[in-house]
Amino acid sequence: MPRFSEYTLNNWRMPPSNSEEIKLANSQRLVKDAIDSDSQLNKFTIEIFGQGSYANDTNVRLDSDVDINVRLADTIFIELPDGKKQEEFGYSDSNYTFSEYKNSIYNALVKKFGQPDVVRNDKCITVKGNAYRVITDVVPTFKLIRHDENGVKHLGSKFISDSGIAITNYSLQHIENGKLKNAATQKRFKRLTRIYRRVRYKMAEEEYCENKNITSFLLECLVFNVPNKIFNNYDTWLERVKQSIVNLFNQTKEDEKCKDWGEVSELLYLFRGARKWTIKDVNEYLIKMWNYFEF
């Protein structure tokens, strides 16, 4: 007999409230107001959009932070195929550094919300929550233009953490691909992702399994790589969870089977490069998840 009933999983598939979109919109508006009222920043072209669990509609916690990408379009990062130079594509260097941009965003937020409510972190700037707003993580980024070998151009975001680490993401493509996967699976992709995330939190709370390498973002990407037939061919959430774990476990037993898996954006590999997690981490976690469910 499984640990959790179909009734429980049916509840876990839903977002924690009906106000997720409102919270996201409010955070975007507050950040936009701070930038629009700043004389140094309002002359630039800055795109402000949500990313993370709120924007992807996979949030499962009432107290989750809202992530807002504040992407400068006037100064860009370039990624070119090996052997190519940016001059060949008509690009030139800019004197405006990313550090200067992040400093300007921080100062604008302090002017808007006050010094006590704004915290500069390694990767983002946090605006503390209060009775009128949720905690908002503001991520200053430069627009990234990536040229592939085949001539295809991709637009993303890139930033340099205060500790000097360069981080790239394609959050808008992530959002779009998530919607497409959701449509192809009768809205079950995001619902199954929420179940996986809630189970992760419960396992950690009960000290059953707390692998810090297994992140909510990773779980969403793993569920994205589950074949659509597993979402569509089973009638219960218990069976969808069971069959998805079986599929993911079998595919992560050998590196060759999953080394080409991508993030939801399908523009970055899930298991290549410097990653917090490994394929072995994932496979071991799936065993623990299976045992936790008592299948």
Side-chain angles (χ1 to χ4, degrees):
M1 188 77 174
R3 178 190 293 253
F4 302 109
S5 67
E6 182 68 13
Y7 176 82
T8 296
L9 296 186
N10 195 51
N11 286 331
W12 284 358
R13 70 186 172 91
M14 301 302 292
S17 73
N18 295 321
S19 62
E20 308 309 287
E21 290 185 8
I22 295 174
K23 292 176 183 177
L24 178 63
N26 285 343
S27 290
Q28 285 180 265
R29 177 180 53 78
L30 289 171
V31 174
K32 185 177 186 303
D33 288 347
I35 290 171
D36 287 347
S37 60
D38 186 270
S39 59
Q40 282 190 313
L41 292 171
N42 60 21
K43 62 185 178 182
F44 292 126
T45 301
I46 296 176
E47 303 159 299
I48 301 171
F49 53 89
Q51 60 184 25
S53 62
Y54 275 91
N56 292 310
D57 193 23
T58 54
N59 181 46
V60 297
R61 308 191 87 171
L62 283 170
D63 58 350
S64 288
D65 304 350
V66 174
D67 293 333
I68 302 295
N69 190 324
V70 182
R71 186 169 72 181
L72 180 67
D74 302 84
T75 303
I76 58 177
F77 286 118
I78 307 295
E79 289 186 2
L80 300 174
D82 290 342
K84 298 292 185 181
K85 297 181 179 179
Q86 64 181 31
E87 292 80 7
E88 299 176 44
F89 293 82
Y91 299 120
S92 58
D93 290 328
S94 170
N95 293 323
Y96 191 49
T97 67
F98 181 76
S99 178
E100 290 175 305
Y101 177 59
K102 185 172 180 179
N103 289 340
S104 295
I105 295 293
Y106 173 78
N107 291 334
L109 294 173
V110 168
K111 288 177 189 175
K112 177 71 175 178
F113 302 107
Q115 179 75 59
D117 282 347
V118 180
V119 179
R120 180 173 180 136
N121 304 303
D122 185 44
K123 298 178 181 178
C124 69
I125 302 165
T126 299
V127 178
K128 297 178 182 179
N130 58 24
Y132 307 101
R133 63 174 186 263
V134 297
I135 300 170
T136 301
D137 286 336
V138 180
V139 186
T141 67
F142 279 179
K143 178 175 282 189
L144 168 69
I145 301 179
R146 185 179 104 186
H147 292 265
D148 290 348
E149 291 280 0
N150 58 10
V152 176
K153 183 170 70 173
H154 305 285
L155 300 182
S157 304
K158 187 173 181 177
F159 66 92
I160 310 295
S161 70
D162 286 349
S163 59
I165 299 172
I167 298 169
T168 297
N169 68 59
Y170 297 92
S171 49
L172 294 180
Q173 292 90 333
H174 183 122
I175 293 169
E176 183 60 28
N177 284 349
K179 290 178 180 178
L180 293 173
K181 179 82 170 183
N182 213 42
T185 57
Q186 303 175 63
K187 298 184 178 181
R188 292 169 181 165
F189 161 59
K190 296 188 178 185
R191 292 169 178 174
L192 187 61
T193 297
R194 293 192 198 103
I195 291 173
Y196 267 64
R197 286 184 164 182
R198 281 195 164 97
V199 170
R200 170 179 171 266
Y201 285 127
K202 285 194 67 66
M203 289 169 68
E205 288 166 5
E206 296 175 19
E207 298 184 349
Y208 184 88
C209 169
E210 186 175 9
N211 186 335
K212 293 183 179 179
N213 294 341
I214 304 298
T215 67
S216 291
F217 174 80
L218 171 60
L219 292 179
E220 183 173 357
C221 293
L222 291 173
V223 176
F224 181 81
N225 281 280
V226 171
N228 290 356
K229 64 182 180 181
I230 290 177
F231 296 90
N232 296 330
N233 291 359
Y234 296 97
D235 296 328
T236 67
W237 287 107
L238 272 169
E239 200 61 29
R240 291 176 198 124
V241 170
K242 183 177 182 179
Q243 294 302 326
S244 63
I245 294 175
V246 169
N247 176 268
L248 290 170
F249 171 76
N250 287 332
Q251 295 300 310
T252 56
K253 284 196 294 186
E254 301 173 17
D255 291 6
E256 284 298 316
K257 291 184 177 180
C258 61
K259 68 177 184 178
D260 292 332
W261 282 5
E263 296 182 359
V264 177
S265 70
E266 297 187 311
L267 289 170
L268 293 170
Y269 286 109
L270 188 57
F271 293 118
R272 298 191 192 181
R275 287 296 195 175
K276 186 176 183 179
W277 53 79
T278 66
I279 295 173
K280 185 173 182 289
D281 286 332
V282 169
N283 193 259
E284 291 176 350
Y285 178 82
L286 291 165
I287 294 172
K288 292 175 182 176
M289 186 176 173
W290 176 273
N291 291 335
Y292 183 70
F293 265 91
E294 299 179 358
F295 282 130

